């Protein structure tokens, strides 16, 4: 007696962005932005006493300087290797620009223009949102390939 053979059916899944460099650079950028929030939380408890939090402010500032460089590198990879994914490289350009503005604002706050904190923190939240959206979008199939 023979048993019928069945062919396993596969459900098509959306391919990843297919570029490990892009994924790694966006992941590192996201990690540093997350750590920025942690470090800011540590030094903001010393609000009004900058000397007590100087070390954490320095760490926050130095890491802040690195994030736009990582975002720019991810954007370059997206433009070169993922040219067909216009959504990813445009998001990379926006991310790099927002991080650059964020670093400039942070520098001004450090120079005692404290009222800019009211812009700096909400902008950081928007950047975090974008850094959640980019990897999720990278996992989706491009619109042209979906048809």
């Amino acid at each position: 007696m023979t048993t019928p053979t069945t062919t396993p059916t596969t459900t098509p899944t959306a391919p990843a962005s297919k570029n490990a460099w892009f994924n790694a650079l966006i992941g590192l950028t996201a990690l540093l932005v997350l750590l920025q929030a942690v470090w800011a939380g540590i030094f903001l408890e010393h609000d009004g006493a900058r000397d007590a939090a100087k070390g954490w402010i320095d760490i926050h500032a130095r890491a802040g300087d690195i994030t736009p460089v990582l975002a720019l590198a991810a954007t370059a990879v997206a433009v070169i290797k993922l040219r067909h994914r216009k959504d990813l490289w445009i998001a990379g350009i926006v991310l790099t620009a927002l991080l650059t503005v964020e670093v400039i604002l942070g520098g001004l706050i450090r120079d005692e223009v404290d009222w800019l904190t009211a812009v700096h923190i909400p902008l950081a939240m928007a950047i975090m949102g974008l850094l959640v959206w980019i990897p999720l979008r990278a996992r989706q199939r491009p619109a042209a390939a979906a048809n």
Side-chain angles (χ1 to χ4, degrees):
M1 178 175 197
T2 62
T3 58
T5 59
T6 58
T7 329
T9 58
T10 59
T11 306
T13 58
S17 69
K18 302 262 189 199
N19 193 291
W21 281 104
F22 177 78
N23 294 335
L25 289 166
I26 284 296
L28 285 172
T29 305
L31 177 62
L32 266 184
V33 169
L34 177 64
L35 288 172
Q36 289 292 90
V38 172
W39 295 323
I42 291 170
F43 72 72
L44 283 176
E45 76 174 303
H46 299 288
D47 194 26
R50 287 183 191 252
D51 292 340
K54 185 172 178 1
W56 290 111
I57 292 171
D58 290 342
I59 290 170
H60 182 79
R62 293 302 67 82
D65 292 340
I66 295 168
T67 56
V69 175
L70 287 172
L72 182 61
T75 302
V77 169
V79 169
I80 294 166
K81 299 283 188 181
L82 303 169
R83 181 167 292 275
H84 64 285
R85 294 296 308 267
K86 187 176 179 181
D87 55 343
L88 297 182
W89 56 263
I90 288 176
I93 291 168
V94 170
L95 176 65
T96 303
L98 291 177
L99 284 168
T100 302
V101 169
E102 187 75 344
V103 168
I104 292 167
L105 290 174
L108 291 171
I109 292 167
R110 191 171 191 177
D111 293 339
E112 303 204 22
V113 186
D114 290 335
W115 67 268
L116 286 174
T117 303
V119 177
H120 186 70
I121 293 173
L123 181 57
M125 298 299 108
I127 289 168
M128 284 184 184
L130 185 56
L131 278 165
V132 168
W133 181 84
I134 292 173
L136 291 174
R137 183 67 182 180
R139 291 185 49 92
Q140 293 179 352
R141 187 177 313 214
N147 295 331

